Coordinates of all heavy atoms in Angstrom, one line a residue:
R195 N 11.4 -15.8 -17.3 CA 10.7 -15.1 -18.4 C 9.6 -14.3 -17.9 O 8.7 -14.8 -17.2 CB 10.2 -16.1 -19.4 CG 11.3 -17.0 -20.1 CD 10.6 -18.1 -20.8 NE 9.9 -19.0 -19.9 CZ 9.0 -19.9 -20.3 NH1 8.7 -20.1 -21.5 NH2 8.4 -20.7 -19.3
G197 N 6.5 -11.5 -18.4 CA 5.5 -10.9 -19.3 C 5.0 -9.6 -18.8 O 4.7 -9.5 -17.6
I199 N 2.3 -6.6 -18.8 CA 1.0 -6.1 -19.2 C 1.0 -4.6 -19.1 O 1.2 -4.0 -18.0 CB -0.1 -6.7 -18.3 CG1 0.0 -8.2 -18.3 CG2 -1.5 -6.2 -18.7 CD1 -1.0 -8.9 -17.3
A221 N 9.4 -12.2 -22.1 CA 8.7 -13.2 -22.9 C 7.7 -12.5 -23.9 O 7.3 -13.1 -24.8 CB 7.9 -14.1 -21.9
P229 N -5.8 -9.5 -24.8 CA -5.9 -10.5 -23.7 C -4.5 -10.9 -23.2 O -3.6 -11.1 -24.1 CB -6.7 -11.6 -24.3 CG -6.4 -11.5 -25.8 CD -6.3 -10.1 -26.1
A230 N -4.4 -11.1 -21.9 CA -3.1 -11.5 -21.3 C -2.9 -13.0 -21.2 O -1.9 -13.5 -20.8 CB -2.9 -10.9 -19.9
G231 N -4.0 -13.8 -21.6 CA -3.9 -15.2 -21.4 C -2.8 -15.9 -22.1 O -2.1 -16.7 -21.6
A232 N -2.7 -15.6 -23.4 CA -1.6 -16.3 -24.2 C -0.2 -15.9 -23.7 O 0.7 -16.7 -23.7 CB -1.7 -15.8 -25.7
L233 N -0.1 -14.6 -23.3 CA 1.2 -14.2 -22.7 C 1.5 -14.9 -21.5 O 2.7 -15.4 -21.3 CB 1.2 -12.7 -22.5 CG 2.4 -12.1 -21.7 CD1 3.6 -12.2 -22.6 CD2 2.1 -10.6 -21.4
A234 N 0.5 -15.1 -20.6 CA 0.8 -15.8 -19.3 C 1.2 -17.2 -19.5 O 2.0 -17.7 -18.8 CB -0.5 -15.7 -18.5
G235 N 0.7 -17.9 -20.6 CA 1.1 -19.2 -20.8 C 2.5 -19.4 -21.4 O 3.0 -20.5 -21.5
N236 N 3.2 -18.3 -21.6 CA 4.6 -18.3 -22.2 C 5.6 -17.7 -21.3 O 6.7 -17.4 -21.7 CB 4.6 -17.6 -23.5 CG 5.9 -17.9 -24.3 OD1 6.4 -18.9 -24.3 ND2 6.4 -16.8 -24.9
C237 N 5.2 -17.4 -20.0 CA 6.2 -16.8 -19.1 C 6.1 -17.4 -17.7 O 5.2 -18.2 -17.4 CB 6.0 -15.3 -19.1 SG 4.4 -14.8 -18.5
D238 N 7.0 -17.0 -16.8 CA 7.1 -17.5 -15.4 C 6.5 -16.5 -14.5 O 6.2 -16.9 -13.3 CB 8.6 -17.7 -15.0 CG 9.3 -18.7 -15.9 OD1 8.8 -19.8 -16.1 OD2 10.4 -18.3 -16.5
A239 N 6.2 -15.3 -14.9 CA 5.6 -14.3 -14.0 C 5.1 -13.1 -14.9 O 5.6 -12.8 -15.9 CB 6.6 -13.7 -13.0
L240 N 4.0 -12.5 -14.4 CA 3.5 -11.3 -15.0 C 3.7 -10.1 -14.2 O 3.7 -10.1 -13.0 CB 2.0 -11.5 -15.2 CG 1.5 -12.5 -16.2 CD1 0.0 -12.7 -16.2 CD2 1.9 -12.1 -17.6
S250 N -9.1 -7.5 -13.5 CA -9.8 -8.7 -13.4 C -9.3 -9.8 -14.4 O -9.1 -10.9 -14.1 CB -11.3 -8.5 -13.5 OG -12.0 -9.7 -13.3
D251 N -9.2 -9.4 -15.7 CA -8.8 -10.3 -16.7 C -7.3 -10.7 -16.5 O -7.0 -11.8 -16.8 CB -9.0 -9.6 -18.1 CG -10.4 -9.5 -18.5 OD1 -11.3 -10.2 -18.0 OD2 -10.7 -8.6 -19.4
N252 N -6.5 -9.7 -16.0 CA -5.1 -10.0 -15.8 C -4.9 -11.1 -14.7 O -4.1 -12.0 -14.8 CB -4.4 -8.8 -15.5 CG -4.4 -7.8 -16.7 OD1 -4.7 -8.2 -17.8 ND2 -4.2 -6.5 -16.4
L253 N -5.7 -10.9 -13.6 CA -5.7 -11.9 -12.5 C -6.1 -13.3 -13.0 O -5.6 -14.3 -12.7 CB -6.5 -11.4 -11.4 CG -6.0 -10.2 -10.6 CD1 -7.1 -9.7 -9.6 CD2 -4.7 -10.6 -9.8
R254 N -7.2 -13.3 -13.9 CA -7.7 -14.5 -14.4 C -6.6 -15.2 -15.3 O -6.4 -16.4 -15.2 CB -8.9 -14.2 -15.2 CG -9.7 -15.5 -15.6 CD -11.0 -15.2 -16.4 NE -11.8 -14.4 -15.6 CZ -12.1 -13.1 -15.8 NH1 -11.6 -12.5 -16.9 NH2 -12.9 -12.4 -15.0
A255 N -5.9 -14.4 -16.0 CA -4.8 -15.0 -16.9 C -3.7 -15.6 -16.0 O -3.2 -16.7 -16.4 CB -4.2 -13.9 -17.8
A256 N -3.3 -14.9 -15.0 CA -2.3 -15.4 -14.1 C -2.7 -16.7 -13.4 O -2.0 -17.7 -13.3 CB -1.9 -14.4 -13.0
R257 N -3.9 -16.7 -13.0 CA -4.5 -18.0 -12.3 C -4.6 -19.1 -13.3 O -4.3 -20.3 -13.0 CB -5.9 -17.7 -11.8 CG -5.9 -16.9 -10.4 CD -7.3 -16.8 -9.9 NE -7.9 -18.1 -9.6 CZ -9.1 -18.3 -9.1 NH1 -9.8 -17.2 -8.8 NH2 -9.6 -19.5 -9.0
G258 N -5.0 -18.8 -14.5 CA -5.1 -19.8 -15.6 C -3.8 -20.5 -15.9 O -3.8 -21.7 -16.2
S259 N -2.7 -19.8 -15.8 CA -1.4 -20.4 -16.0 C -0.6 -20.7 -14.7 O 0.5 -21.1 -14.8 CB -0.5 -19.4 -16.9 OG -1.1 -19.2 -18.1
N260 N -1.3 -20.4 -13.6 CA -0.7 -20.8 -12.3 C 0.7 -20.1 -12.1 O 1.6 -20.7 -11.7 CB -0.6 -22.3 -12.1 CG -0.4 -22.6 -10.6 OD1 -0.8 -21.9 -9.7 ND2 0.4 -23.7 -10.4
I261 N 0.7 -18.8 -12.4 CA 2.0 -18.1 -12.3 C 1.8 -16.8 -11.4 O 0.6 -16.4 -11.3 CB 2.6 -17.6 -13.6 CG1 1.6 -16.7 -14.4 CG2 3.0 -18.9 -14.5 CD1 2.2 -16.1 -15.7
P262 N 2.8 -16.3 -10.8 CA 2.7 -15.1 -9.9 C 2.5 -13.9 -10.8 O 2.8 -13.8 -11.9 CB 4.0 -15.1 -9.1 CG 5.0 -15.8 -10.0 CD 4.2 -16.9 -10.7
I263 N 1.9 -12.9 -10.1 CA 1.7 -11.6 -10.8 C 2.0 -10.5 -9.8 O 1.6 -10.5 -8.6 CB 0.3 -11.5 -11.3 CG1 0.1 -10.1 -12.0 CG2 -0.8 -11.6 -10.2 CD1 -1.3 -10.0 -12.8
A281 N -7.8 -13.8 -5.7 CA -6.7 -14.5 -6.5 C -5.6 -14.9 -5.7 O -5.0 -16.0 -6.0 CB -6.2 -13.5 -7.6
H284 N -5.0 -18.5 -4.6 CA -4.6 -19.5 -5.6 C -3.2 -19.3 -6.1 O -2.6 -20.3 -6.5 CB -5.6 -19.5 -6.7 CG -7.0 -19.6 -6.3 ND1 -7.6 -20.9 -6.1 CD2 -8.0 -18.7 -6.0 CE1 -8.9 -20.7 -5.6 NE2 -9.1 -19.4 -5.6
I285 N -2.7 -18.1 -6.2 CA -1.4 -17.8 -6.8 C -0.7 -16.7 -5.9 O -1.4 -16.0 -5.2 CB -1.5 -17.3 -8.2 CG1 -2.4 -16.0 -8.3 CG2 -2.0 -18.4 -9.2 CD1 -2.4 -15.3 -9.6
P286 N 0.6 -16.6 -6.0 CA 1.3 -15.4 -5.3 C 1.0 -14.1 -6.0 O 1.1 -14.0 -7.3 CB 2.8 -15.8 -5.5 CG 2.8 -17.2 -5.9 CD 1.6 -17.5 -6.7
I419 N 8.6 -15.3 -7.6 CA 8.5 -16.6 -8.3 C 8.9 -17.7 -7.3 O 9.9 -17.7 -6.6 CB 9.5 -16.6 -9.5 CG1 9.1 -15.6 -10.5 CG2 9.7 -18.0 -10.1 CD1 10.1 -15.4 -11.7
G420 N 8.1 -18.7 -7.3 CA 8.3 -19.9 -6.4 C 7.7 -19.8 -5.0 O 7.8 -20.7 -4.2
P423 N 1.0 -19.5 -2.7 CA -0.1 -18.6 -2.9 C -0.3 -17.7 -1.7 O -0.1 -18.1 -0.6 CB -1.3 -19.5 -3.1 CG -0.7 -20.8 -3.7 CD 0.6 -20.9 -2.9

Side-chain angles (χ1 to χ4, degrees):
R195 297 167 300 164
I199 304 174
L233 173 64
N236 191 40
C237 60
D238 301 305
L240 289 174
S250 179
D251 288 340
N252 298 339
L253 288 170
R254 190 177 302 112
R257 283 186 58 181
S259 295
N260 195 32
I261 59 173
I263 182 171
H284 307 276
I285 57 172
I419 295 173

